[in-house]
Structure formats: C-alpha cells, structure tokens
Amino acid sequence: RRRWVHPEAAAFAPRLARVLAAVAARLARDDLYYEAKGLTASIHYRGAAAPARARAAILQALAELPEARGVWITEGRYVVELRPPVAASKGSAVGCLLRRYAVRGALLLGDDRTDLDAVRALQQARARGEVQGLTIAVASSETPPELLAEADATVDGVAAVEALLGGLAATR
C-alpha cells in the first residue's frame, strides 16, 4: 500500500502538535481528552461535567493562543478539531477514493457533522452518474439535524446499522 500525504499538511503537523500541547497546558483540565492524530488534532469534551462550558473554554484558549492563528478549527460531536489550512475533508477523501479505485457502488454511513462533506461528495458523484451509492445517517440524540435531513436514509442507532449490514450480507 502506498500512502500519500499532502505536503502542506505534513509541514503544518508540528505546529498542530504545539497548539494542542499549549491548549492542554493552558486549560489543565482532566475532563478533556487531547488526541494528536498526526495531520490533525482533536480536543474531546464529551466527558466534561458541563460540556457547553468546556467547549467555550477550548475555543477561548484557542482564540488567545498566537500559535493557533491560521489553524482551521472545526467542530464535531463534543469535539473541537484542529486542522492544517489545507482544503481537505471527509468529502475530498471520498472523492479521491471514488476516483482512485474507480468505485462503482458505495454505502456511506455517518453520525457526525464532519460526515456531511462525505455525504455531499457521494451524492454529487451519484448525480453525475459516476457511482451508485446510498448515504445513511445513523440517528442518535447527538446526530446533527443537517445530516438527518441530507442523507438518503436514516437508521436508528448502531444496532440498526448492524442489522442493516447483516441483512445486506445475508442477501449476498
């Protein structure tokens, strides 16, 4: 397997690591989980006693850090993500995979705001006649309404995903 890494993202990775460490030192909270992913970083606040206040503290710390200028900040479900200023998303990844492997059919499942780009990319490829595909939102109390509205179909939670995939495998 060959792995390609966007050169601008790779060059930015050390800076993301420094920003993540600086936020962790500034906040000094044990109810946050800091995740260095290499080309991106995440600060999870799911375990915080007051998630809205934790989110606000994370965003404030980032706003106050000079080294965070230029870092793309996105949000998902109880997570603040730090990204290099490179046009890349789950949507661009889906597009790349569809092209690189000449995919003719795809099933995409998602449950987070960051999955919207992937849903849109698959639907656009389908509209152009490049692929047959279906987008499915996995519903929970935390699933963004936009994802539920834009996906082709919805299943109710992880157990329904298992049932769906089991049913598809059985028809094979």
Side-chain angles (χ1 to χ4, degrees):
R1 280 188 169 188
R2 288 182 10 188
R3 180 177 178 216
W4 182 82
V5 176
H6 195 292
E8 290 175 44
F12 207 83
R15 183 167 167 193
L16 287 181
R18 289 192 305 274
V19 169
L20 185 67
V23 170
R26 181 174 286 237
L27 294 178
R29 295 175 59 141
D30 61 2
D31 60 349
L32 303 178
Y33 173 64
Y34 303 91
E35 183 179 16
K37 299 178 179 182
L39 297 179
T40 66
S42 297
I43 306 166
H44 301 267
Y45 55 92
R46 175 177 302 283
R53 286 201 303 265
R55 175 186 171 271
I58 294 165
L59 294 175
Q60 181 66 36
L62 287 167
E64 293 171 357
L65 287 170
E67 58 265 53
R69 287 191 193 108
V71 171
W72 284 2
I73 299 168
T74 59
E75 294 186 63
R77 200 168 38 175
Y78 294 100
V79 62
V80 174
E81 297 177 336
L82 310 176
R83 298 180 182 196
V86 175
S89 67
K90 287 183 181 180
S92 61
V94 164
C96 181
L97 290 169
L98 293 176
R99 286 185 306 276
R100 176 176 283 168
Y101 297 104
V103 173
R104 302 307 312 150
L107 172 65
L108 190 139
L109 295 113
D111 68 350
D112 197 352
R113 182 172 319 284
T114 59
D115 295 319
L116 274 168
D117 291 331
V119 164
R120 291 170 180 153
L122 182 56
Q123 289 175 336
Q124 289 167 359
R126 186 178 63 205
R128 291 188 302 266
E130 298 170 356
V131 66
Q132 292 183 354
L134 182 65
T135 61
I136 299 176
V138 182
S140 76
S141 62
E142 300 171 352
T143 306
E146 303 91 346
L147 182 61
L148 295 170
E150 291 190 38
D152 299 315
T154 302
V155 295
D156 191 21
V158 175
V161 170
E162 291 178 38
L164 171 67
L165 295 176
L168 291 172
T171 62
R172 195 166 180 251

